[in-house]
């Protein structure tokens, strides 16, 4: 029982980080049908911005440091969209994809040159020690930061859901996703909505990066690996769907944690991808995705 | 007209590469014709095979395949196994003929193994298109790399060492020219027209009686076979391979060269590989000559140049166009 709860919490923690990245992929894809391969590197950048703020502005409390890093990363995401992607908005998809790959390589090397290639860990600033209530009732040793990471991530996802489904901006986003060419005729500023999508996606990725840096470690090239994984999670859930991105992330984390716990950590990627491919062969559009219309 | 000129260019390229190989081996003009430049040309040749074969899938068939390095890995490990464990060392064989036979057997095995894997991947993925196909091919790339990491008799994660150096620049040049010739003729043939018709409108193609799944699978098999060829050449040129060198970072690099050159253009594939490789080397040399402390910044400048090219020439250098000598007799 205790082991099971422990593993479930591991799944929740890893899944929360994946979900924070996957949401950015899914939102951008849902709105402008662009797979932003640089998004994994935005996540890495967010983690390092958190690290730098933590090191140089150590007097800032943790609940100021994280929003600050999120705002800075959101600005970076908007800047990337403005400089590199906006002019390619109606180009063919392949040249946009290559641009996103280029932006990704650029960000990786920028961070590596600025911070150095070694792996770093973010000083968490969160209360340490275990949650005694859980230890008393379930007999599991759970650190506070793990619980906080899961709770804050879930809160952020709930806020995103509220923004998309309950506000005017969210309505505009969904409208753009539905009919990009018609919405500007209704007086909606398309550039503003797309920039907003990039900002929200990047801010969530920054939160994921900081959590990842606290729980595991940061290195300039981690964005490729985690970015691909989050992208896969988004596709599994049905890319373009917010609920799907979260579901896919927890599913991927579950498969990974199970493989590491009961088989071998060497087989982690292989088994995770094998199962996920099987899943996609059953649900070709992802679990929550809508089947693409076949136009005749 | 175009056909005769194509074969003339091919013959000239082969003659030039043979001369270059002999000149470097003989030590003529060591300043100008040195092994470093020859190594660069070898890498360019192998990358042309990779990029041109991926162009078949991404450019002509119009599918978004992302697992090319996986097929390359299958070819590289097959060739390495054949060369070290199965075949006798080339030194025990008669000169010239012996190494040639070794090369033919290893590369043939590499192509066959990769083609088989490509056929299987094609068989499993025909249900999906677009971004889902991308994810499945990427997944296969990761599964192949992960499987190799867990196979101890090929070195596992430590890599495969002690592969004999059976490849020369000339062998790579011959393979690259052969690849281009075969791909060019395939694309002009009825197969090529079927692939382009699927890219333009799969449903219309189906209504015209095209067996879409079979045609797609054929393209996957051919592209994988050539990726395997490049892998076999790579293994026997580097003499050391690790699973990590075939993961999605390699796929990304192949994609960068492909898109830089332009989709659905064999000339673009050649140009993209040459431009990218030369750009990286020139940047390395320039920076280390003028400011050694800035040599690291090369990695920052090259993606910027890539983004600039994409912003100013969004179809790549040669998208959908061909040099006249590579162009088919009638427009395809």
């Amino acid at each position: 029982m205790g082991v099971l709860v422990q593993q479930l919490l591991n799944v929740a923690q890893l899944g929360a980080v994946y979900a924070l990245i996957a949401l950015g992929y899914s939102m951008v894809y849902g709105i402008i049908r662009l797979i932003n391969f640089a998004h994994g590197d935005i996540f890495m950048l967010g983690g390092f911005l958190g690290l730098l703020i933590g090191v140089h502005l150590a007097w800032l409390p943790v609940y100021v440091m994280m929003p600050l890093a999120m705002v800075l990363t959101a600005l970076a995401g908007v800047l990337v969209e403005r400089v590199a992607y906006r002019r390619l908005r109606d180009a063919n998809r392949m040249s946009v994809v290559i641009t996103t790959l280029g932006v990704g390589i650029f960000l990786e090397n920028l961070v590596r040159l600025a911070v150095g290639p070694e792996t770093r860990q973010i000083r968490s600033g969160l209360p340490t020690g275990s949650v005694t209530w859980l230890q008393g009732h379930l007999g599991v040793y759970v650190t506070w930061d793990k619980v906080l990471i899961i709770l804050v991530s879930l809160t952020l996802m709930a806020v995103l859901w509220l923004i998309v489904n309950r506000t005017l901006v969210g309505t505009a986003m969904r409208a753009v996703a539905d009919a990009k060419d018609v919405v500007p005729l209704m007086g909606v500023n398309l550039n503003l909505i797309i920039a907003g999508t990039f900002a929200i996606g990047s801010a969530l990725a920054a939160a994921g990066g900081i959590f990842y840096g606290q729980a595991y470690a940061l290195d300039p090239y981690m964005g490729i690996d985690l970015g691909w994984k989050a992208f896969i999670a988004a596709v599994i859930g049905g890319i373009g769907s917010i609920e799907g991105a979260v579901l896919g992330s927890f599913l991927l984390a579950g498969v990974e944690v199970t493989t590491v716990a009961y088989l071998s950590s060497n087989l982690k990627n292989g088994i995770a991808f094998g199962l996920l491919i099987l899943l996609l062969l059953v649900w070709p559009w992802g679990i929550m995705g809508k089947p693409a219309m076949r136009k005749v | 007209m175009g056909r005769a000129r194509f074969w003339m260019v091919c013959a000239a390229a082969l003659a030039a590469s043979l001369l270059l190989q002999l000149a470097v081996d003989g030590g003529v003009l060591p300043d100008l014709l040195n092994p470093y430049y020859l190594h660069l040309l070898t890498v360019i040749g192998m990358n042309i095979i990779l990029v041109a074969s991926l162009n078949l899938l991404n450019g002509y068939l119009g599918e978004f395949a992302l697992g090319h390095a996986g097929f390359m890995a299958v070819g590289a490990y097959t060739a390495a196994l054949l060369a070290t464990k199965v075949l006798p060392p080339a030194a025990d064989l008669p000169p010239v003929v012996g190494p040639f036979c070794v090369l033919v057997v290893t590369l043939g095995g590499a192509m066959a193994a990769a083609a088989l894997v490509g056929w299987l991947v094609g068989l499993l993925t025909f249900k999906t298109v677009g971004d889902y196909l991308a994810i499945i091919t990427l997944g296969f790339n990761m599964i192949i790399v992960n499987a190799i990491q867990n196979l101890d008799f090929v070195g596992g994660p430590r890599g495969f060492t002690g592969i004999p150096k059976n490849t020369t620049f000339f062998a790579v040049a011959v393979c690259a020219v052969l690849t281009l010739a075969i791909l060019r003729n395939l694309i002009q043939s009825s197969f090529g027209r079927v692939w382009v018709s699927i890219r333009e409108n799969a449903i219309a193609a189906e209504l015209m009686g095209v067996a879409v799944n079979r045609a797609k699978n054929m393209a996957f098999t051919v592209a994988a076979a050539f990726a395997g060829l490049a892998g076999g050449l790579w293994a026997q040129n580097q003499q050391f391979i690790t699973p990590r060198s075939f993961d999605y970072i390699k796929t990304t690099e192949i994609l960068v060269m492909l898109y830089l050159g332009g989709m659905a253009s064999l000339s673009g594939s050649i140009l993209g590989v040459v431009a990218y490789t030369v750009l990286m080397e020139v940047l390395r040399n320039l920076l280390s000559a003028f400011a050694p402390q800035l040599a690291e910044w090369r990695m920052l400048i090259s993606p910027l140049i890539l983004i600039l090219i994409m912003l100013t020439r969004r179809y790549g250098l040669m998208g959908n166009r061909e040099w006249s000598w590579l162009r088919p007799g009638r427009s395809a």
Side-chain angles (χ1 to χ4, degrees):
Chain A
M1 179 65 193
V3 177
L4 187 70
V5 175
Q6 194 92 51
Q7 294 293 8
L8 277 177
L9 282 165
N10 286 339
V11 171
Q13 184 186 15
L14 191 63
V17 173
Y18 284 163
L20 288 174
I21 319 171
L23 284 168
Y25 273 115
S26 227
M27 284 173 67
V28 169
Y29 184 88
I31 288 194
I32 49 173
R33 298 278 175 272
L34 160 74
I35 304 177
N36 180 13
F37 282 125
H39 190 64
D41 299 295
I42 294 276
F43 154 82
M44 178 273 302
L45 184 72
F48 272 97
L49 283 173
L51 174 82
L52 290 179
I53 294 170
V55 169
H56 294 292
L57 302 168
W59 44 271
L60 276 179
V62 67
Y63 52 83
V64 179
M65 163 213 138
M66 208 165 112
L68 184 60
M70 284 169 72
V71 168
L72 288 177
T73 316
L75 287 177
V78 172
L79 188 73
V80 164
E81 194 272 332
R82 179 71 193 85
V83 173
Y85 301 160
R86 184 170 294 181
R87 289 183 52 191
L88 290 168
R89 205 172 283 160
D90 13 77
N92 69 332
R93 293 186 45 203
M94 301 296 182
S95 47
V96 191
V97 164
I98 197 69
T99 310
T100 65
L101 285 171
V103 170
I105 303 171
F106 176 79
L107 289 176
E108 278 155 29
N109 290 301
L110 183 72
V111 170
R112 191 183 64 118
L113 289 167
V115 190
E118 57 277 331
T119 53
R120 310 278 283 267
Q121 211 175 9
I122 299 183
R123 168 192 63 86
S124 90
L126 298 171
T128 48
S130 77
V131 184
T132 40
W133 185 87
L134 279 174
Q135 201 164 10
H137 284 77
L138 291 169
V140 286
Y141 180 83
V142 187
T143 51
W144 265 106
D145 51 349
K146 182 173 276 184
V147 173
L148 280 175
I149 285 174
I150 296 168
L151 288 181
V152 175
S153 304
L154 291 177
T155 313
L156 285 174
M157 288 171 216
V159 170
L160 175 72
W161 190 89
L162 285 177
I163 290 177
V164 171
N165 288 306
R166 292 280 184 273
T167 66
L168 210 55
V169 180
T171 311
M173 282 178 174
R174 285 180 287 135
V176 172
D178 216 39
K180 198 179 81 180
D181 301 324
V182 182
V183 170
L185 302 177
M186 307 288 152
V188 174
N189 188 339
L190 185 67
N191 285 336
L192 203 67
I193 295 300
I194 291 176
T197 311
F198 271 85
I200 296 175
S202 307
L204 288 178
I210 294 169
F211 288 150
Y212 193 82
Q214 286 169 354
Y216 311 99
L218 296 173
D219 84 276
Y221 294 106
M222 72 181 188
I224 318 171
D225 207 50
L226 279 137
W228 279 121
K229 289 226 179 104
F231 171 53
I232 286 162
V235 173
I236 294 302
I239 196 159
S241 147
I242 288 179
E243 297 88 346
V246 177
L247 190 67
S249 302
F250 284 107
L251 213 58
L252 180 65
V255 171
E256 260 186 37
V257 168
T258 316
T259 312
V260 172
Y262 297 105
L263 288 163
S264 149
S265 62
N266 290 333
L267 290 170
K268 185 175 73 177
N269 285 350
I271 289 191
F273 285 109
L275 280 178
L276 296 175
I277 283 174
L278 284 180
L279 205 71
L280 266 194
L281 291 174
V282 182
W283 280 298
W285 288 281
I287 299 170
M288 310 281 272
K290 292 183 222 76
M293 197 83 87
R294 271 176 68 127
K295 284 193 191 118
V296 180
Chain B
M1 199 277 286
R3 180 160 300 178
R5 261 175 76 203
F6 174 72
W7 292 113
M8 270 163 61
V9 172
C10 286
L14 286 182
S17 45
L18 182 61
L19 279 178
L20 194 65
Q21 177 77 53
L22 292 174
V24 173
D25 287 349
V28 195
L29 288 174
D31 287 337
L32 193 64
L33 303 172
N34 59 31
Y36 164 65
Y37 291 120
L38 201 69
H39 173 72
L40 274 191
L41 286 172
T42 314
V43 172
I44 286 178
M46 290 187 290
N47 282 336
I48 285 177
I49 301 176
L50 279 172
V51 173
S53 58
L54 184 62
N55 208 342
L56 195 65
L57 293 179
N58 286 20
Y60 292 96
L61 184 64
E63 294 288 7
F64 196 20
L66 285 181
H68 218 49
F71 301 135
M72 190 189 173
V74 172
Y77 273 85
T78 310
L81 272 177
L82 284 173
T84 50
K85 306 265 161 79
V86 179
L87 294 173
D92 298 350
L93 293 167
V96 186
V97 182
F100 176 73
C101 290
V102 168
L103 201 57
V104 168
V105 172
T106 51
L107 295 181
M111 284 182 82
L116 183 69
V117 175
W119 181 75
L120 281 174
V121 173
L123 208 62
L124 278 172
T125 54
F126 72 87
K127 272 177 79 172
T128 55
V129 286
D131 306 319
Y132 296 94
L133 185 104
I135 209 68
I136 289 196
T137 48
L138 181 79
F140 268 105
N141 188 351
M142 295 195 166
I143 289 174
I144 289 169
V145 170
N146 201 245
I148 295 171
Q149 274 173 342
N150 286 292
L151 291 178
D152 220 38
F153 67 99
V154 293
R158 298 178 305 281
F160 196 131
T161 50
I163 307 164
K165 191 175 174 76
N166 294 326
T167 318
T168 58
F169 163 65
F170 182 60
V172 173
V174 171
C175 289
V177 168
L178 271 179
T179 306
L180 286 174
I182 292 173
L183 287 179
R184 170 182 177 271
N185 288 348
L186 262 182
I187 287 157
Q188 284 177 41
S189 71
S190 52
F191 288 117
R193 282 150 208 261
V194 163
W195 289 329
V196 173
S197 75
I198 293 173
R199 177 188 73 193
E200 295 302 328
N201 191 332
I203 293 166
E206 209 175 329
L207 291 176
M208 296 305 285
V210 170
V212 172
N213 290 340
R214 218 173 68 197
K216 279 186 185 177
N217 212 347
M218 165 99 181
F220 261 100
T221 313
V222 173
F226 283 111
L229 173 68
L233 288 168
W234 175 268
Q236 297 180 79
N237 184 59
Q238 300 295 109
Q239 299 176 266
F240 170 65
I241 46 177
T242 74
R244 280 213 76 98
S245 42
F246 303 107
D247 62 7
Y248 40 85
I249 299 174
K250 181 72 188 175
T251 297
T252 309
E253 195 188 306
I254 303 172
L255 283 172
V256 166
M257 292 188 274
L258 173 65
Y259 292 130
L260 179 63
M263 306 299 289
S265 159
L266 287 179
S267 334
S269 295
I270 303 173
L271 206 61
V273 171
V274 173
Y276 182 78
T277 315
V278 170
L279 186 74
M280 295 302 267
E281 289 306 313
V282 165
L283 276 176
R284 185 213 302 273
N285 292 340
L286 266 186
L287 287 173
S288 48
F290 288 110
Q293 72 276 15
L294 286 183
E296 293 277 293
W297 291 83
R298 169 179 80 113
M299 303 306 289
L300 211 56
I301 297 171
S302 52
L304 274 185
I305 292 174
L306 187 77
I307 295 167
L308 271 180
I309 289 176
M310 281 313 167
L311 285 175
T312 48
R313 292 189 69 97
R314 56 174 63 171
Y315 293 104
L317 297 170
M318 293 291 290
N320 286 318
R321 290 174 300 146
E322 294 281 8
W323 289 325
S324 61
W325 58 271
L326 254 171
R327 209 175 290 152
R330 278 172 296 160
S331 64

